[in-house]
Amino acid sequence: MYYDQEMITRYEEIEERVVRFITKHSGVEYMKGSEQVVEGGVFAWAKLRSVDTAIQTQLRLDYVEVFELARQSMEHAESKHLIDFDRSSETVLNYIRQDSILWIPSLEAAAEAARTELSLQKFLLTQT
């Protein structure tokens, strides 16, 4: 195995921060008229306050640093899980950047989805 416990610890710290950012510093808005296209409609991220944008930027930078180190470890180990890892990482970045629509109406559900992706990344990292 090519990962170390410090990497897992860093992932756990990022996970806490992502969940806190989504549930405490974010908001969602219903996209008016979307129920005509998709049953139940879709949601968009609400505009962040400037203080929350600063938190978002630092969180994004810290997450990118962690997942790039993890990805390098997986590449070095010639992991067969790189495609899944990359897809999952992009999903988490979408939650942090808040640049995509949501199919789920609550911040708690969005935070749980991000947590699941981060857990998957930790698992894939341990499989190298």
Side-chain angles (χ1 to χ4, degrees):
M1 283 189 255
Y2 291 88
Y3 78 96
D4 59 22
Q5 187 56 42
E6 181 183 339
M7 182 83 62
I8 299 299
T9 301
R10 290 183 71 186
Y11 256 96
E12 290 167 351
E13 291 167 356
I14 288 288
E15 181 180 315
E16 279 183 36
R17 291 174 57 200
V18 168
V19 168
R20 186 171 51 249
F21 173 67
I22 292 172
T23 59
K24 304 293 184 198
H25 299 276
S26 303
V28 294
E29 300 171 339
Y30 183 74
M31 294 180 72
K32 187 175 178 180
S34 63
E35 72 280 354
Q36 296 171 354
V37 179
V38 177
E39 185 177 332
V42 295
F43 299 81
W45 294 99
K47 183 171 172 52
L48 293 172
R49 298 175 304 157
S50 61
V51 67
D52 297 326
T53 301
I55 293 168
Q56 178 189 44
T57 299
Q58 190 60 56
L59 178 57
R60 182 182 50 79
L61 292 171
D62 293 346
Y63 173 66
V64 167
E65 179 183 341
V66 169
F67 92 71
E68 284 181 348
L69 288 172
R71 191 177 198 295
Q72 288 173 5
S73 293
M74 292 176 72
E75 283 179 341
H76 182 69
E78 299 179 2
S79 173
K80 61 183 179 183
H81 302 294
L82 282 173
I83 292 171
D84 293 325
F85 184 83
D86 289 344
R87 182 209 49 81
S88 180
S89 298
E90 187 59 34
T91 299
V92 172
L93 277 171
N94 286 338
Y95 281 109
I96 294 170
R97 290 187 308 241
Q98 301 186 350
D99 60 356
S100 60
I101 61 172
L102 296 169
W103 304 103
I104 44 184
S106 75
L107 294 173
E108 291 75 18
E112 188 56 37
R115 182 189 310 269
T116 299
E117 293 295 338
L118 289 162
S119 293
L120 173 62
Q121 290 169 43
K122 287 188 294 187
F123 173 76
L124 294 175
L125 183 60
T126 66
Q127 300 305 301
T128 57

